[in-house]
Amino acid sequence: DLALSAWDRAEIRVSGRLDEAVREFTFDVGPDTAVIAVQLPDNLDGGCCEAGSDLLVQLPVGSQVHISVVSTDVKARGIHGGIDISSVSGDVNLADVHSRITVTSVSGDIELRAASGRMRLKSVSGDIDGTALDGLVVANAVSGDVTLRQTKGELQTQTISGDIDLVGIEVTELDSSTVSGDLAVSGSFGAGANLAGDSVSGDIRLEFDHAVSARLDLQTRSGTIKNRLNDQRPTTAKSASTESLRMVLGAGEGEVVLQSRSGDITVSR
C-alpha cells in the first residue's frame, strides 16, 4: 500500500517496508522534483509478493503529486498542490486535497473527502464516492455506482450500468446521465441553476430542499411522470405512450430538463 501525508516541512521523507521480491527502489530528489519508484521483476510466479510493500511518503503541503500504481491501495491526506493518480486494481482514498485532482481507476473504488478545485474521477468497474466537494466535479463510471454528498459548484456525472445518487448537493450546473442505472438527486438550487438528467431504462428522482425558481421540462417515452410539487398533471401524446410535463415554478429563473426512455420520473419537495 501507498500512503501520502502532507506536512509543513520543506522536505520529503519515505518510510515503510518493501516486499522481498522488489528488484529496485528509487528515491531521487532534484531541485524541483522527486521520483519514488518501486520496481518488481518482469516475470512473477504465482507465489510472489504475498507480503507486499507498504510505504509512507511525507511531503510538503503544496506539492504537486503524480502517482501510477498496479495492485496497490493509495491513501493521501493534505495535498494542496494537486494530485494525479492512475491505478489499475487498487482503491484510492483521498481527503483534504485541493487544486487539480485527477483519479483514473480500472477496477478499484475511488473515495474523495473534503476536496476543492477541478476534480475528474473515472472508474471502469469500481464505485466513486465523494463528500464535501467544492468546484468542478466530473465523475464517470462504467459499471460502478457514483455517490456524491454535499457537493457545491458544477457537477457532471455519467454511468453505463451503475446508479447515480446525489445527496444534499448545491450546484449551479448539473448534467447527469446513465444508460441502465437509476438517477436520484436531492438538494438546493439557486436562482438560474441548470439541471439536466437523462436515463435510458432507469428511473429519475429529483427532490428540491426548498422552493425553486425554474422551468421544468419532463419527458418519458414508456414510463410515468409523478409530480408532487403541485397539481399539474402530465400529458400523453395521442400517437405514442410518451408522457410529458412542462411547468414554471416561481419566476422560472433556472431550467430543469429530465428525460427517460422507459423509466419513471418523479419530482418532489
Side-chain angles (χ1 to χ4, degrees), residues 7 20 40 95 103 123 132 143 147 154 156 207 224 253 263 265:
W7 59 4
E20 60 182 11
L40 294 171
V103 182
S123 179
S143 59
T147 303
E154 300 180 29
Q156 302 173 20
E207 180 179 353
T224 59
E253 297 168 283
I265 299 177

Side-chain angles (χ1 to χ4, degrees), residues 242-257:
T242 300
E243 282 195 6
S244 62
L245 175 61
R246 293 178 176 85
M247 58 183 176
V248 177
L249 302 177
E253 297 168 283
E255 185 174 30
V256 177
V257 179

Side-chain angles (χ1 to χ4, degrees), residues 141-152:
V142 177
S143 59
D145 297 332
V146 174
T147 303
L148 301 176
R149 310 170 192 84
Q150 289 79 53
T151 296
K152 298 180 180 180

Side-chain angles (χ1 to χ4, degrees), residues 161-218:
S161 59
D163 295 332
I164 300 175
D165 195 7
L166 311 177
V167 183
I169 65 174
E170 187 178 343
V171 295
T172 56
E173 298 283 341
L174 170 63
D175 188 352
S176 291
S177 65
T178 177
V179 176
S180 59
D182 294 333
L183 169 60
V185 181
S186 66
S188 59
F189 310 96
N194 296 313
L195 283 66
D198 183 271
S199 178
V200 176
S201 59
D203 297 332
I204 300 176
R205 298 185 303 277
L206 173 61
E207 180 179 353
F208 298 105
D209 287 350
H210 55 70
V212 65
S213 174
R215 303 177 303 277
L216 272 65
D217 186 347
L218 318 177

Side-chain angles (χ1 to χ4, degrees), residues 18-28 35-42 53 55:
L18 294 174
D19 189 278
E20 60 182 11
V22 169
R23 187 175 70 182
E24 183 178 358
F25 173 73
T26 302
F27 183 20
D28 290 335
V35 176
I36 302 169
V38 176
Q39 187 173 0
L40 294 171
D42 294 332
S53 299
L55 293 180

